């Protein structure tokens, strides 16, 4: 009898140890992120700065984390379509958003109703880069009308009210708002033509379908360097090191305090585990500090960051307040 009881006790202990081991394995499996490919949603069409930056860091994240980071372009409504898709995704670290100053700084002030909450629905991860915008015009328009400066362009626009078309990467983007701010401060009237991203807008600008654009510098850089677009000014407070010969809007047009820059950063759905958020931030910061990526971004006019989730959250809050005032001053409306 004693032997039987002893055997049963040993069996119970063995089963308990096995259950504990299996439970530990299960917990480890649940926390072993990433265990499958990660989707990085870009809320604009390919070819724009949001897309360029996502594709710059995705290969490095894939390499160091051992799983593919797949860029998924989901354009529409000034970035709102892609942002909404991520906001409604599972908070498991497998769906990320390359957010922008538009999706998380401007749209809340510009759109009467957003399908997502820029604050409550997201967990900020890190600022990837900030960039100036650049005022670029079609070279044929510039040549035909002898446009060499911002003042030359303003003179032309005032002589043809409503006849010139201003392209943007979508309603609510900094590209759109920079143009609206320029219109309000110079008193010119141009027709706004929103696209689903900088890529298609730039194609139409080069081909002469539209006349001017206040694009993010990285996506316009190669077209400027190749002579397919003419850069008149940057929209930042100071000149860009990537285009030091191009003046600021304030310098070129005497518009004191004119500034309309852009930024891009990674966010996850709210509720994503903090250890996953911190791991992504750390790896992105390392990638942005590597000479290969850092030097390439700087040459394109982007200033890499990699700041902490808390710092990025503070930036988003301050940018919303800033752009709400710009929307009010410019009188911008969703077309």
């Amino acid at each position: 009898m004693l032997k039987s009881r002893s055997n049963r006790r040993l069996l119970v202990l063995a089963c308990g140890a096995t259950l504990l081991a299996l439970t530990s394995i299960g917990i480890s499996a649940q926390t072993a992120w990433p265990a499958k490919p990660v989707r990085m949603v870009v809320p604009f069409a390919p070819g724009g700065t949001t897309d360029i930056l996502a594709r710059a860091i995705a290969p490095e994240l894939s390499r160091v984390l051992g799983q593919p980071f797949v860029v998924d372009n989901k354009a529409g409504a000034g970035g709102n379509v892609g942002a909404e898709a991520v906001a409604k995704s599972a908070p498991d670290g497998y769906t990320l958003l390359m957010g922008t100053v538009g999706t998380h700084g401007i749209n809340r002030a510009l759109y009467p109703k957003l399908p997502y909450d820029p604050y409550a629905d997201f967990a900020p991860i890190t600022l990837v880069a900030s960039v100036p915008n650049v005022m670029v015009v079609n070279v044929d328009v510039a040549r035909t009308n002898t446009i060499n400066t911002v003042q030359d362009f303003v003179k032309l626009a005032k002589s043809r009210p409503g006849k010139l078309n201003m392209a943007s990467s979508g309603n609510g983007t900094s590209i759109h708002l920079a143009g609206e701010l320029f219109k309000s401060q110079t008193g010119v009237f141009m027709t706004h033509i929103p696209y689903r991203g900088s890529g298609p807008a730039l194609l139409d600008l080069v081909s002469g379908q539209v006349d001017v654009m206040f694009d993010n510098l990285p996506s316009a850089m190669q077209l400027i360097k190749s002579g397919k677009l003419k850069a008149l000014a940057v929209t930042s407070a100071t000149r860009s090191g990537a285009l030091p010969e191009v003046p600021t809007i304030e310098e070129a047009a005497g518009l004191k305090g004119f500034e309309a820059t852009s930024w891009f950063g990674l966010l996850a759905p709210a509720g994503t585990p903090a250890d996953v958020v911190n791991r992504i931030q750390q790896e992105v910061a390392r990638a942005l500090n590597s000479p290969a990526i850092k030097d390439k971004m700087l040459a394109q006019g982007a200033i890499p960051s990699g700041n902490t989730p808390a710092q990025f959250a503070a930036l988003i809050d301050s940018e919303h307040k800033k752009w709400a005032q710009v929307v009010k001053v410019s009188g911008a409306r969703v077309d």
Side-chain angles (χ1 to χ4, degrees):
M1 177 68 74
L2 290 173
K3 185 176 182 180
S4 176
R5 288 179 179 175
S6 178
N7 287 340
R8 282 200 298 271
R9 187 178 295 113
L10 289 172
L11 180 61
V12 169
L13 290 173
C15 289
T18 301
L19 180 61
L20 180 60
L22 289 173
T23 302
S24 299
I25 291 171
I27 292 172
S28 297
Q30 291 174 3
T31 57
W33 178 94
K36 62 181 182 179
V38 177
R39 183 169 67 120
M40 190 184 299
V41 174
V42 169
F44 297 98
T49 298
T50 320
D51 185 67
I52 290 171
L53 294 176
R55 294 181 190 279
I57 63 173
E60 183 63 14
L61 292 176
S62 299
R63 185 185 70 80
V64 297
L65 293 172
Q67 290 289 343
F69 275 65
V70 182
V71 176
D72 180 12
N73 296 90
K74 203 171 187 64
N80 291 343
V81 171
E84 179 186 11
V86 175
K88 294 180 178 178
S89 296
D92 54 11
Y94 291 101
T95 304
L96 308 176
L97 175 72
M98 182 61 86
T100 71
V101 64
T103 60
H104 283 75
I106 297 173
N107 288 359
R108 193 173 187 180
L110 189 66
Y111 286 80
K113 186 176 181 181
L114 282 181
Y116 63 91
D117 187 318
Y119 295 107
D121 292 343
F122 292 91
I125 299 175
T126 188
L127 175 69
V128 173
S130 56
V131 306
N133 290 4
V134 59
M135 181 181 181
V136 284
V137 295
N138 176 276
V139 291
D140 291 329
V141 170
R143 187 182 303 112
T144 302
N145 297 281
T146 319
I147 297 174
N148 294 307
T149 66
V150 175
Q151 294 287 22
D152 292 337
F153 182 86
V154 170
K155 183 178 179 180
L156 175 66
K158 286 186 174 181
S159 70
R160 302 180 186 176
K163 300 295 184 181
L164 299 184
N165 293 324
M166 179 188 78
S168 83
S169 55
N171 285 312
T173 60
S174 71
I175 297 169
H176 172 204
L177 265 292
E180 293 294 342
L181 191 60
F182 181 82
K183 286 162 60 177
S184 69
Q185 292 194 12
T186 58
V188 302
F189 172 61
M190 299 180 286
T191 301
H192 174 220
I193 309 293
Y195 288 78
R196 293 169 67 87
S198 282
L202 287 168
L203 286 175
D204 274 6
L205 182 59
V206 170
S207 67
Q209 301 301 308
V210 288
D211 306 298
V212 63
M213 186 174 175
F214 292 79
D215 192 34
N216 304 141
L217 184 52
S219 48
M221 180 65 78
Q222 290 305 313
L223 295 171
I224 295 169
K225 294 289 190 181
S226 65
K228 294 181 179 179
L229 290 177
K230 186 176 182 64
L232 297 182
V234 292
T235 64
S236 47
T238 59
R239 295 193 182 198
S240 168
L243 284 178
E245 72 282 2
V246 177
T248 66
I249 291 282
E250 180 173 345
E251 290 176 321
L255 302 180
K256 188 171 179 59
F258 190 103
E259 183 178 7
T261 55
S262 300
W263 53 257
F264 308 83
L266 281 177
L267 304 103
T272 298
D275 58 339
V276 173
V277 168
N278 290 331
R279 180 76 188 282
I280 298 171
Q281 184 273 324
Q282 291 164 8
E283 297 302 344
V284 170
R286 288 192 188 99
L288 293 174
N289 198 44
S290 67
I293 294 178
K294 184 177 182 179
D295 293 347
K296 185 177 180 179
M297 284 191 178
L298 289 172
Q300 292 175 320
I303 302 171
S305 176
N307 63 4
T308 67
Q311 290 169 332
F312 188 29
L315 172 69
I316 290 172
D317 183 57
S318 65
E319 285 288 281
H320 167 67
K321 293 173 182 175
K322 167 190 169 181
W323 285 100
Q325 183 63 25
V326 172
V327 170
K328 181 179 179 181
V329 170
S330 70
R333 295 288 183 271
V334 175
D335 297 86

